[in-house]
Protein backbone atom coordinates (compact mmCIF):
# COMPACT_ATOMS: atom_id res chain seq x y z
CA UNK A 1 0.00 0.00 0.00
CA UNK A 2 1.29 3.45 -0.88
CA UNK A 3 1.71 5.82 2.07
CA UNK A 4 1.07 9.55 2.13
CA UNK A 5 4.67 10.19 3.17
CA UNK A 6 5.87 8.26 0.11
CA UNK A 7 4.14 10.76 -2.14
CA UNK A 8 5.48 13.85 -0.36
CA UNK A 9 9.12 13.06 0.39
CA UNK A 10 10.60 13.69 -3.07
CA UNK A 11 10.32 16.51 -5.63
CA UNK A 12 8.63 14.30 -8.23
CA UNK A 13 6.02 13.15 -5.72
CA UNK A 14 5.26 16.72 -4.67
CA UNK A 15 4.99 17.74 -8.32
CA UNK A 16 2.58 14.84 -8.84
CA UNK A 17 0.34 16.25 -6.10
CA UNK A 18 0.56 19.77 -7.52
CA UNK A 19 -0.45 18.52 -10.98
CA UNK A 20 -3.30 16.39 -9.63
CA UNK A 21 -4.61 19.38 -7.69
CA UNK A 22 -4.51 21.45 -10.89
CA UNK A 23 -6.30 18.76 -12.92
CA UNK A 24 -9.05 18.41 -10.31
CA UNK A 25 -9.39 22.18 -9.97
CA UNK A 26 -9.85 22.54 -13.73
CA UNK A 27 -12.36 19.72 -13.83
CA UNK A 28 -14.39 21.08 -10.92
CA UNK A 29 -15.37 24.29 -12.70
CA UNK A 30 -15.66 25.87 -9.25
CA UNK A 31 -14.62 29.51 -8.68
CA UNK A 32 -12.30 28.32 -5.92
CA UNK A 33 -10.54 26.09 -8.41
CA UNK A 34 -10.06 28.89 -10.93
CA UNK A 35 -8.70 31.22 -8.27
CA UNK A 36 -6.26 28.57 -7.10
CA UNK A 37 -5.04 27.89 -10.65
CA UNK A 38 -4.35 31.58 -11.30
CA UNK A 39 -2.53 32.03 -8.01
CA UNK A 40 -0.40 28.90 -8.49
CA UNK A 41 0.57 29.95 -12.02
CA UNK A 42 1.74 33.41 -10.99
CA UNK A 43 3.45 32.26 -7.79
CA UNK A 44 5.35 29.56 -9.71
CA UNK A 45 6.38 32.11 -12.31
CA UNK A 46 7.96 34.36 -9.69
CA UNK A 47 9.79 31.41 -8.12
CA UNK A 48 11.13 30.14 -11.45
CA UNK A 49 14.86 30.75 -12.05
CA UNK A 50 14.00 31.71 -15.63
CA UNK A 51 11.30 34.26 -14.76
CA UNK A 52 11.35 37.15 -17.20
CA UNK A 53 13.80 35.44 -19.57
CA UNK A 54 13.17 31.78 -20.36
CA UNK A 55 9.66 32.07 -18.91
CA UNK A 56 7.22 34.94 -19.31
CA UNK A 57 3.56 35.67 -18.55
CA UNK A 58 1.61 36.82 -21.60
CA UNK A 59 -1.14 39.40 -21.29
CA UNK A 60 -4.57 38.63 -22.70
CA UNK A 61 -4.87 42.22 -23.99
CA UNK A 62 -2.80 45.38 -24.18
CA UNK A 63 -4.98 46.97 -21.49
CA UNK A 64 -4.05 44.39 -18.86
CA UNK A 65 -1.04 44.88 -16.59
CA UNK A 66 2.03 42.75 -17.31
CA UNK A 67 1.54 40.86 -14.05
CA UNK A 68 -1.27 40.55 -11.52
CA UNK A 69 -0.77 42.86 -8.57
CA UNK A 70 -0.17 41.99 -5.84
CA UNK A 71 1.59 38.75 -6.71
CA UNK A 72 0.33 35.75 -4.73
CA UNK A 73 2.70 34.26 -2.19
CA UNK A 74 3.07 30.55 -1.35
CA UNK A 75 0.87 31.13 1.70
CA UNK A 76 -1.88 32.45 -0.58
CA UNK A 77 -1.56 29.44 -2.87
CA UNK A 78 -1.73 27.10 0.13
CA UNK A 79 -4.86 28.80 1.45
CA UNK A 80 -6.61 28.55 -1.93
CA UNK A 81 -5.47 24.96 -2.41
CA UNK A 82 -6.99 24.01 0.93
CA UNK A 83 -10.36 25.25 -0.33
CA UNK A 84 -10.13 23.53 -3.72
CA UNK A 85 -12.39 20.48 -4.22
CA UNK A 86 -10.54 17.20 -4.76
CA UNK A 87 -13.46 15.21 -6.12
CA UNK A 88 -13.11 13.06 -9.21
CA UNK A 89 -9.73 11.40 -8.73
CA UNK A 90 -9.63 8.47 -11.15
CA UNK A 91 -7.07 6.45 -13.10
CA UNK A 92 -6.94 9.05 -15.88
CA UNK A 93 -6.17 11.91 -13.49
CA UNK A 94 -3.51 9.84 -11.73
CA UNK A 95 -1.80 9.11 -15.04
CA UNK A 96 -2.07 12.77 -16.07
CA UNK A 97 -0.39 13.79 -12.82
CA UNK A 98 2.33 11.19 -13.19
CA UNK A 99 2.97 12.22 -16.76
CA UNK A 100 3.37 15.88 -15.84
CA UNK A 101 5.65 15.04 -12.91
CA UNK A 102 7.86 12.96 -15.20
CA UNK A 103 7.78 15.44 -18.11
CA UNK A 104 9.01 18.27 -15.90
CA UNK A 105 11.92 16.43 -14.30
CA UNK A 106 15.18 18.17 -15.17
CA UNK A 107 18.47 17.15 -13.59
CA UNK A 108 20.72 19.41 -15.64
CA UNK A 109 19.42 22.72 -14.27
CA UNK A 110 17.64 24.27 -11.33
CA UNK A 111 14.11 23.08 -10.47
CA UNK A 112 11.36 25.04 -12.20
CA UNK A 113 8.95 27.35 -10.42
CA UNK A 114 6.31 24.69 -9.81
CA UNK A 115 8.83 22.37 -8.16
CA UNK A 116 10.05 25.25 -5.99
CA UNK A 117 6.48 26.21 -5.10
CA UNK A 118 5.59 22.63 -4.13
CA UNK A 119 8.63 22.50 -1.84
CA UNK A 120 7.74 25.64 0.15
CA UNK A 121 6.58 24.79 3.69
CA UNK A 122 3.12 26.33 3.22
CA UNK A 123 2.27 24.63 -0.07
CA UNK A 124 3.90 21.39 1.00
CA UNK A 125 1.59 21.29 4.03
CA UNK A 126 -1.46 21.96 1.85
CA UNK A 127 -0.43 19.26 -0.63
CA UNK A 128 -0.58 16.67 2.15
CA UNK A 129 -4.35 16.57 1.60
CA UNK A 130 -3.78 15.67 -2.06
CA UNK A 131 -1.20 13.04 -1.07
CA UNK A 132 -3.68 11.49 1.35
CA UNK A 133 -6.30 11.33 -1.41
CA UNK A 134 -3.82 9.62 -3.74
CA UNK A 135 -2.66 7.18 -1.06
CA UNK A 136 -6.22 6.14 -0.23
CA UNK A 137 -7.08 5.53 -3.88
CA UNK A 138 -7.11 1.88 -4.84
CA UNK A 139 -6.21 2.94 -8.39
CA UNK A 140 -2.66 3.71 -7.22
CA UNK A 141 -2.15 0.29 -5.65
CA UNK A 142 0.02 -0.96 -8.53
CA UNK A 143 2.51 1.83 -7.88
CA UNK A 144 4.14 -0.21 -5.11
CA UNK A 145 4.17 -3.52 -6.96
CA UNK A 146 7.35 -5.19 -8.25
CA UNK A 147 7.99 -5.92 -11.90
CA UNK A 148 4.92 -7.42 -13.57
CA UNK A 149 6.47 -10.59 -14.95
CA UNK A 150 3.47 -11.66 -17.04
CA UNK A 151 2.87 -8.47 -19.05
CA UNK A 152 6.14 -6.72 -19.91
CA UNK A 153 6.55 -4.78 -23.13
CA UNK A 154 9.35 -2.79 -24.72
CA UNK A 155 8.60 0.53 -26.40
CA UNK A 156 10.79 1.89 -29.18
CA UNK A 157 9.81 5.35 -30.41
CA UNK A 158 10.26 6.29 -34.05
CA UNK A 159 13.22 8.64 -33.95
CA UNK A 160 15.96 7.90 -36.49
CA UNK A 161 17.82 11.03 -35.37
CA UNK A 162 18.15 9.76 -31.81
CA UNK A 163 21.74 9.05 -30.77
CA UNK A 164 20.49 6.05 -28.79
CA UNK A 165 18.81 3.24 -30.70
CA UNK A 166 18.14 -0.35 -29.62
CA UNK A 167 21.11 -2.55 -30.36
CA UNK A 168 21.46 -6.11 -31.62
CA UNK A 169 24.60 -6.50 -29.52
CA UNK A 170 24.52 -8.61 -26.39
CA UNK A 171 23.93 -6.92 -23.06
CA UNK A 172 27.41 -7.86 -21.86
CA UNK A 173 29.04 -6.09 -24.82
CA UNK A 174 26.90 -2.97 -24.32
CA UNK A 175 27.65 -2.87 -20.60
CA UNK A 176 31.39 -3.33 -21.07
CA UNK A 177 31.53 -0.47 -23.57
CA UNK A 178 29.42 1.72 -21.25
CA UNK A 179 31.82 1.17 -18.35
CA UNK A 180 34.88 2.00 -20.46
CA UNK A 181 33.27 5.22 -21.69
CA UNK A 182 32.08 6.20 -18.21
CA UNK A 183 35.58 5.78 -16.78
CA UNK A 184 37.06 7.74 -19.68
CA UNK A 185 34.56 10.56 -19.22
CA UNK A 186 35.22 10.75 -15.49
CA UNK A 187 38.99 10.87 -16.01
CA UNK A 188 38.62 13.57 -18.66
CA UNK A 189 36.28 15.59 -16.43
CA UNK A 190 38.80 15.43 -13.59
CA UNK A 191 41.42 16.94 -15.88
CA UNK A 192 39.33 19.52 -17.71
CA UNK A 193 36.35 20.62 -15.62
CA UNK A 194 36.42 23.06 -12.70
CA UNK A 195 36.09 21.72 -9.16
CA UNK A 196 33.63 24.49 -8.28
CA UNK A 197 30.19 22.79 -8.37
CA UNK A 198 28.56 26.12 -9.19
CA UNK A 199 30.55 26.58 -12.39
CA UNK A 200 28.57 26.91 -15.61
CA UNK A 201 29.28 23.44 -16.93
CA UNK A 202 27.05 20.58 -18.03
CA UNK A 203 27.55 17.04 -19.21
CA UNK A 204 26.18 13.58 -18.51
CA UNK A 205 23.46 13.86 -15.86
CA UNK A 206 21.68 10.49 -15.90
CA UNK A 207 22.33 7.46 -13.68
CA UNK A 208 20.70 4.76 -15.79
CA UNK A 209 22.34 1.76 -17.39
CA UNK A 210 23.18 2.25 -21.08
CA UNK A 211 20.03 3.06 -23.00
CA UNK A 212 20.79 0.61 -25.79
CA UNK A 213 19.73 -2.16 -23.41
CA UNK A 214 16.22 -3.60 -23.49
CA UNK A 215 13.84 -1.55 -21.36
CA UNK A 216 10.34 -2.66 -20.44
CA UNK A 217 7.27 -1.58 -18.49
CA UNK A 218 3.97 -3.23 -17.65
CA UNK A 219 0.82 -2.83 -19.72
CA UNK A 220 -2.15 -0.81 -18.51
CA UNK A 221 -4.87 -2.65 -20.37
CA UNK A 222 -6.15 -0.84 -23.45
CA UNK A 223 -3.93 2.14 -22.65
CA UNK A 224 -0.88 0.13 -23.65
CA UNK A 225 2.49 0.02 -21.90
CA UNK A 226 3.40 2.53 -19.22
CA UNK A 227 6.47 3.28 -21.33
CA UNK A 228 4.31 5.08 -23.90
CA UNK A 229 3.16 7.58 -21.31
CA UNK A 230 5.84 8.06 -18.69
CA UNK A 231 9.23 8.93 -20.17
CA UNK A 232 11.81 11.26 -18.67
CA UNK A 233 13.53 13.60 -21.12
CA UNK A 234 11.00 12.74 -23.85
CA UNK A 235 10.99 14.40 -27.27
CA UNK A 236 7.31 14.47 -28.17
CA UNK A 237 7.33 11.29 -30.24
CA UNK A 238 4.05 10.38 -31.92
CA UNK A 239 4.70 6.82 -33.13
CA UNK A 240 6.20 3.77 -31.50
CA UNK A 241 6.71 0.04 -31.88
CA UNK A 242 5.67 -2.14 -28.95
CA UNK A 243 6.80 -5.72 -28.47
CA UNK A 244 5.94 -8.15 -25.70
CA UNK A 245 8.91 -9.45 -23.70
CA UNK A 246 8.88 -12.80 -21.92
CA UNK A 247 10.34 -12.62 -18.43
CA UNK A 248 11.98 -15.89 -17.40
CA UNK A 249 10.62 -17.24 -14.15
CA UNK A 250 14.14 -17.46 -12.75
CA UNK A 251 15.09 -13.86 -13.67
CA UNK A 252 16.83 -12.06 -10.80
CA UNK A 253 15.32 -8.57 -10.58
CA UNK A 254 16.56 -5.92 -8.17
CA UNK A 255 13.68 -3.75 -6.99
CA UNK A 256 14.25 -0.04 -6.40
CA UNK A 257 11.20 0.67 -4.26
CA UNK A 258 12.62 3.68 -2.45
CA UNK A 259 15.70 5.70 -1.62
CA UNK A 260 17.20 3.04 0.63
CA UNK A 261 17.09 0.45 -2.16
CA UNK A 262 18.87 2.85 -4.53
CA UNK A 263 21.39 3.73 -1.84
CA UNK A 264 22.02 0.05 -1.19
CA UNK A 265 22.69 -0.62 -4.86
CA UNK A 266 25.15 2.27 -5.03
CA UNK A 267 26.82 1.25 -1.78
CA UNK A 268 27.24 -2.34 -2.93
CA UNK A 269 28.45 -1.57 -6.46
CA UNK A 270 29.84 2.00 -6.38
CA UNK A 271 31.29 3.77 -9.39
CA UNK A 272 32.50 7.31 -8.73
CA UNK A 273 31.27 9.99 -11.13
CA UNK A 274 31.91 13.15 -9.09
CA UNK A 275 33.79 15.09 -11.75
CA UNK A 276 31.35 14.26 -14.55
CA UNK A 277 28.13 14.84 -12.55
CA UNK A 278 28.99 17.48 -9.93
CA UNK A 279 27.83 20.56 -11.84
CA UNK A 280 24.49 19.23 -13.06
CA UNK A 281 23.61 17.50 -9.81
CA UNK A 282 24.59 20.52 -7.73
CA UNK A 283 22.22 22.68 -9.77
CA UNK A 284 19.32 20.27 -9.41
CA UNK A 285 19.83 19.24 -5.75
CA UNK A 286 21.95 21.98 -4.16
CA UNK A 287 24.30 19.31 -2.77
CA UNK A 288 28.06 19.31 -3.37
CA UNK A 289 28.90 15.76 -2.33
CA UNK A 290 31.07 13.03 -3.72
CA UNK A 291 28.81 11.36 -6.28
CA UNK A 292 28.47 7.69 -7.22
CA UNK A 293 26.21 5.59 -9.43
CA UNK A 294 25.88 1.81 -9.62
CA UNK A 295 28.55 0.05 -11.65
CA UNK A 296 26.16 -1.76 -13.95
CA UNK A 297 28.78 -4.27 -15.07
CA UNK A 298 29.15 -5.49 -11.50
CA UNK A 299 25.40 -5.32 -10.88
CA UNK A 300 24.91 -7.60 -13.90
CA UNK A 301 27.03 -10.27 -12.22
CA UNK A 302 24.29 -10.73 -9.62
CA UNK A 303 21.08 -9.44 -11.20
CA UNK A 304 19.44 -9.84 -14.58
CA UNK A 305 17.43 -6.62 -14.36
CA UNK A 306 16.72 -3.55 -12.24
CA UNK A 307 13.15 -2.29 -11.83
CA UNK A 308 12.09 1.08 -10.39
CA UNK A 309 8.58 0.98 -8.97
CA UNK A 310 6.37 4.03 -9.34
CA UNK A 311 6.68 4.65 -5.61
CA UNK A 312 10.43 4.17 -5.85
CA UNK A 313 10.52 6.83 -8.54
CA UNK A 314 8.34 9.31 -6.65
CA UNK A 315 10.29 8.96 -3.41
CA UNK A 316 13.79 8.90 -4.88
CA UNK A 317 14.15 10.68 -8.23
CA UNK A 318 15.81 14.08 -8.27
CA UNK A 319 17.02 14.32 -4.67
CA UNK A 320 20.42 13.55 -3.16
CA UNK A 321 20.33 10.01 -1.77
CA UNK A 322 22.93 9.40 0.97
CA UNK A 323 25.21 6.46 0.21
CA UNK A 324 28.01 6.97 2.73
CA UNK A 325 29.89 9.70 4.54
CA UNK A 326 29.93 12.75 2.23
CA UNK A 327 28.80 10.47 -0.62
CA UNK A 328 25.45 10.58 -2.40
CA UNK A 329 23.73 9.58 -5.62
CA UNK A 330 20.79 10.77 -7.73
CA UNK A 331 18.19 8.62 -9.44
CA UNK A 332 18.10 10.51 -12.75
CA UNK A 333 16.88 9.58 -16.20
CA UNK A 334 14.77 6.66 -15.00
CA UNK A 335 11.03 6.49 -15.65
CA UNK A 336 8.36 5.04 -13.34
CA UNK A 337 7.87 1.26 -13.58
CA UNK A 338 10.86 0.99 -15.90
CA UNK A 339 12.97 -2.16 -15.97
CA UNK A 340 16.44 -2.20 -17.51
CA UNK A 341 17.56 -5.66 -18.58
CA UNK A 342 21.22 -6.32 -17.84
CA UNK A 343 20.88 -9.76 -19.40
CA UNK A 344 19.26 -10.60 -22.73
CA UNK A 345 15.56 -11.43 -22.18
CA UNK A 346 13.97 -13.61 -24.86
CA UNK A 347 11.38 -11.71 -26.93
CA UNK A 348 7.84 -13.05 -26.99
CA UNK A 349 6.55 -14.71 -30.13
CA UNK A 350 3.89 -12.08 -30.88
CA UNK A 351 4.67 -9.64 -33.71
CA UNK A 352 5.27 -6.07 -32.68
CA UNK A 353 2.42 -3.58 -32.42
CA UNK A 354 2.35 -0.10 -33.89
CA UNK A 355 1.05 2.70 -31.67
CA UNK A 356 0.21 6.26 -32.65
CA UNK A 357 -0.36 9.38 -30.58
CA UNK A 358 -3.36 11.48 -31.57
CA UNK A 359 -3.79 15.16 -30.66
CA UNK A 360 -0.54 14.98 -28.67
CA UNK A 361 -2.33 13.30 -25.78
CA UNK A 362 -3.85 9.96 -26.76
CA UNK A 363 -2.09 6.74 -27.73
CA UNK A 364 -3.87 4.19 -29.94
CA UNK A 365 -2.91 0.74 -31.13
CA UNK A 366 -3.01 1.11 -34.91
CA UNK A 367 -3.90 -2.55 -35.28
CA UNK A 368 -7.12 -2.27 -33.26
CA UNK A 369 -10.42 -1.68 -35.01
CA UNK A 370 -11.94 -0.05 -31.94
CA UNK A 371 -10.41 3.39 -31.57
CA UNK A 372 -12.35 4.25 -28.46
CA UNK A 373 -10.03 2.61 -25.95
CA UNK A 374 -7.29 5.22 -25.74
CA UNK A 375 -6.74 7.42 -22.75
CA UNK A 376 -6.97 11.16 -23.22
CA UNK A 377 -4.49 12.90 -20.98
CA UNK A 378 -6.14 15.83 -19.31
CA UNK A 379 -9.49 14.11 -18.86
CA UNK A 380 -10.97 15.03 -15.55
Amino acid sequence: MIERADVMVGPRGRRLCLEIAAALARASGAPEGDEYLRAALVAAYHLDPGAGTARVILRASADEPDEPDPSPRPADVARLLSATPLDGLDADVLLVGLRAAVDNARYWQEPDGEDVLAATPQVRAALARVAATVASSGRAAWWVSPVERTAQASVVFDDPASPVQPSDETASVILSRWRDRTLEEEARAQRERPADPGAAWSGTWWSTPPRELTRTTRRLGAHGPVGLWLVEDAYGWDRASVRAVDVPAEARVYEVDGAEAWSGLCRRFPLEVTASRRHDWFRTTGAADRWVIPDWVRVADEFDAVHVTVTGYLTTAGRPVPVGEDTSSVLAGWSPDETYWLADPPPAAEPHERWRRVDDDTWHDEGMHDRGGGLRAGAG
Side-chain angles (χ1 to χ4, degrees), residues 148-159:
E148 173 52 74
R149 292 174 180 256
T150 63
Q152 287 291 292
S154 68
V155 176
V156 178
F157 294 100
D158 291 7
D159 186 3

Side-chain angles (χ1 to χ4, degrees), residues 167 169 172-182 212 297:
S167 174
E169 296 176 305
S172 61
V173 169
I174 295 171
L175 286 166
S176 178
R177 182 172 60 241
W178 166 84
R179 192 176 194 278
D180 289 344
R181 290 177 176 176
T182 301
E212 298 93 335
V297 171

Side-chain angles (χ1 to χ4, degrees), residues 313-337:
Y313 175 85
L314 294 174
T315 58
T316 311
R319 67 187 183 105
V321 175
V323 175
E325 185 176 358
D326 299 324
T327 302
S328 299
S329 184
V330 178
L331 184 80
W334 289 81
S335 299
D337 193 50

Side-chain angles (χ1 to χ4, degrees), residues 33-94:
D34 291 340
E35 190 176 2
Y36 161 70
L37 289 169
R38 286 193 296 271
L41 173 66
V42 177
Y45 166 78
H46 284 289
L47 292 170
D48 197 287
T53 54
R55 181 173 180 174
V56 297
I57 292 181
L58 300 178
R59 293 177 292 171
S61 71
D63 296 329
E64 292 188 11
D66 288 340
E67 299 171 5
D69 188 34
S71 298
R73 299 165 299 175
D76 300 318
V77 175
R79 173 178 52 80
L80 294 168
L81 174 57
S82 297
T84 299
L86 297 181
D87 302 323
L89 182 67
D90 59 18
D92 287 9
V93 173
L94 287 171

Side-chain angles (χ1 to χ4, degrees), residues 23 47 111-112 131-132 148 159 167 178-179 186 188 203 233 237 277-279 304 321 323 333 354 365 368 371 380:
L47 292 170
D112 67 11
E148 173 52 74
D159 186 3
S167 174
W178 166 84
R179 192 176 194 278
E186 180 67 9
R188 185 169 60 253
D233 198 30
W237 303 291
R277 302 298 196 279
R278 70 157 54 95
H279 303 101
D304 300 310
V321 175
V323 175
R354 292 290 298 167
D365 181 351
M368 292 179 62
R371 298 303 189 195

